Amino acid sequence: MILNTTLIPLSLYIHLPWCIRKCPYCDFNSHEIPEEIPEKAYIDRLIEDLTQELPLVPRRVIQTIFFGGGTPSLFSGEAIHQLLDKIQMLIPFSPSVEITLEANPGTVEAKRFRDFRAAGINRLSIGVQSFDDQQLKRLGRIHDSRQAMKAIEVAHTVGFNSFNIDLMYATPHQTVAMALDDIEKGIQLSPHHLSWYQFTLEPNTVFYKNPPVLPTENIMEEIETHGKALLNSYGFQQYEISAYAKPHYSCCHNINYWEFGDYLGIGAGAHGKITLDETQTIIRTRKVKQPKDYLDPTKQMLAEQKTLTESELIFEFMLNALRLKKTTPFSLFETRTGLSKQLLLEKLNLANEKGLLTYDDLSFCPTPLGWQFLNDLTGIFL
């Protein structure tokens, strides 16, 4: 199978690493804000970073852009505008490019959202997590429910026709009624997309060292069952393990990840995955993690670049594809990895025997049991 990059969408991930305060559950590469964010210096390094990456993607077009963090909404609209203008001078954007920026309600004001819209951002992802003030305090969030609702109101007012609300469930001390109330309140604010995902204890976090009291497994299962039914009753279609959208509002950037598309990653700690035409290989890149190292002009921004092995390609493709609530064609596996579907058959048979997955000559799909035990299913492909 010959890899053909014209068949593989290309995205751009931009990491803006600063937060006002790091949340006790967060394991992302985020750092408490200095007295003043070095916007200009960081943008200059981002452009230098991208310039160094461009030889990897000749004649390619950017389909989606995602500003993640950290808290990207701490940057000014002017800085985001300048950055996007400079990027577009280096690599063309698709006419229908999706450009998402993560925003936290505690960093929102109407002018800032208006400036983001003017800069070219056409999709927001608002990190609400809960509409319960007590829960927000437990989670270490800097905003309250009133600010969350105001942020979403502002998003509507300034013309964002597409935005996501992030909500957590199974958070410390949460009951079924509390979880469903969060969904109800979120839906009443008319979002187009909801990311509804389970709270987990991640290594190297404050909560991992000092675990809070979490709901029992029975309560978590009840939350999931009733929560999914509630979302469905309001017309939100689940298309990924933790993503729900109204028709035509799925996140194109994340779908590209899950379908094993290509993406450049720039910024402190950013990761990338690129298919190389010349060598017929797929590489992963990783940038230095600490902002001070990334900003240092005497240091390299690239921390690692490695070629994925056959076994790594199989596992990483399946790890992503099995998150999607749809059948995955074998043709996608072959065009995105350059490998034959025959390499999957032994493990597909094992997953099928365990009742975790079904497949035929053309495609495969997790069963409801497979989705319930997704870690067990993906582990088969290690």
Side-chain angles (χ1 to χ4, degrees), residues 66-260:
F66 196 101
F67 288 87
T71 306
S73 54
L74 288 172
F75 274 63
S76 67
E78 181 183 1
I80 299 297
H81 202 158
Q82 290 174 358
L83 178 57
L84 286 172
D85 283 349
K86 290 179 179 180
I87 292 171
Q88 198 163 13
M89 291 172 65
L90 294 173
I91 186 168
F93 293 178
S94 162
S96 59
V97 64
E98 175 194 88
I99 307 178
T100 303
L101 182 136
E102 290 183 337
N104 282 343
T107 64
V108 166
E109 57 187 62
K111 183 181 183 303
R112 191 173 289 260
F113 267 21
R114 208 172 277 116
D115 289 346
F116 291 148
R117 190 79 182 89
I121 304 298
N122 53 29
R123 184 178 182 274
L124 289 177
S125 183
I126 303 174
V128 173
Q129 313 311 347
S130 176
F131 290 100
D132 182 311
D133 285 339
Q134 188 60 44
Q135 286 297 90
L136 289 169
K137 287 180 181 177
R138 289 185 181 124
L139 293 170
R141 304 295 289 173
I142 64 169
H143 68 273
D144 59 26
S145 59
R146 180 190 58 80
Q147 288 172 308
M149 292 178 183
K150 179 64 177 175
I152 295 164
E153 178 187 326
V154 169
H156 280 296
T157 300
V158 303
F160 278 101
N161 296 319
S162 179
F163 65 86
N164 167 65
I165 295 176
D166 271 349
L167 290 176
M168 283 186 185
Y169 70 88
T171 54
H173 301 280
Q174 191 178 54
T175 65
V176 176
M178 290 163 66
L180 298 182
D181 186 59
D182 272 345
I183 295 174
E184 286 276 9
K185 286 178 177 174
I187 288 172
Q188 295 309 315
L189 295 167
S190 303
H192 311 87
H193 189 286
L194 274 167
S195 293
W196 189 59
Y197 55 97
Q198 182 181 329
F199 173 90
T200 54
L201 294 175
E202 301 290 354
N204 303 314
T205 64
V206 172
F207 275 170
Y208 191 81
K209 295 172 186 174
N210 300 288
V213 177
L214 297 179
T216 64
E217 284 192 18
N218 287 341
I219 290 176
M220 283 195 287
E221 289 177 9
E222 195 173 346
I223 289 173
E224 287 181 4
T225 300
H226 292 294
K228 289 177 181 179
L230 182 58
L231 285 160
N232 186 63
S233 72
Y234 280 100
F236 283 87
Q237 300 171 355
Q238 185 180 18
Y239 67 96
E240 189 266 345
I241 195 73
S242 60
Y244 301 77
K246 292 292 183 73
H248 313 299
Y249 282 100
S250 299
C251 178
C252 297
H253 186 87
N254 285 343
I255 287 175
N256 193 38
Y257 287 157
W258 298 321
E259 293 185 343
F260 212 54

Side-chain angles (χ1 to χ4, degrees), residues 253-304:
H253 186 87
N254 285 343
I255 287 175
N256 193 38
Y257 287 157
W258 298 321
E259 293 185 343
F260 212 54
D262 282 349
Y263 53 96
L264 296 165
I266 61 173
H271 290 245
K273 175 253 170 186
I274 299 296
T275 304
L276 303 179
D277 262 336
E278 286 189 6
T279 59
Q280 288 290 289
T281 56
I282 296 172
I283 63 169
R284 282 225 175 263
T285 61
R286 178 175 57 83
K287 305 302 165 60
V288 293
K289 185 175 181 179
Q290 295 296 325
K292 64 180 178 60
D293 294 330
Y294 186 82
L295 285 164
D296 188 340
T298 68
K299 295 184 178 180
Q300 295 290 325
M301 289 176 280
L302 183 64
E304 182 183 33

Side-chain angles (χ1 to χ4, degrees), residues 304-350:
E304 182 183 33
Q305 179 173 307
K306 63 169 290 187
T307 300
L308 296 180
T309 64
E310 182 179 282
S311 61
E312 287 172 332
L313 286 170
I314 291 171
F315 175 67
E316 290 199 18
F317 181 92
M318 299 302 286
L319 181 68
N320 286 283
L322 291 171
R323 293 178 64 92
L324 290 167
K325 193 167 187 177
K326 66 173 186 177
T327 58
T328 299
F330 286 117
S331 59
L332 185 71
F333 172 78
E334 294 182 333
T335 58
R336 298 290 164 90
T337 66
L339 303 175
S340 167
K341 73 174 186 179
Q342 300 302 317
L343 295 169
L344 293 175
L345 294 182
E346 182 179 343
K347 292 182 176 181
L348 286 173
N349 281 330
L350 178 58

Side-chain angles (χ1 to χ4, degrees), residues 24-64:
Y25 58 83
C26 178
D27 70 335
F28 294 130
N29 183 35
S30 60
H31 304 264
E32 289 197 8
I33 191 172
E35 288 187 12
E36 185 177 350
I37 293 178
E39 285 188 341
K40 184 181 183 306
Y42 196 75
I43 287 172
D44 288 345
R45 287 296 271 176
L46 286 170
I47 293 302
E48 185 180 349
D49 191 353
L50 179 61
T51 301
Q52 292 176 10
E53 297 268 283
L54 290 181
L56 301 174
V57 289
R59 302 174 301 280
R60 305 279 295 271
V61 174
I62 295 291
Q63 304 292 333
T64 69

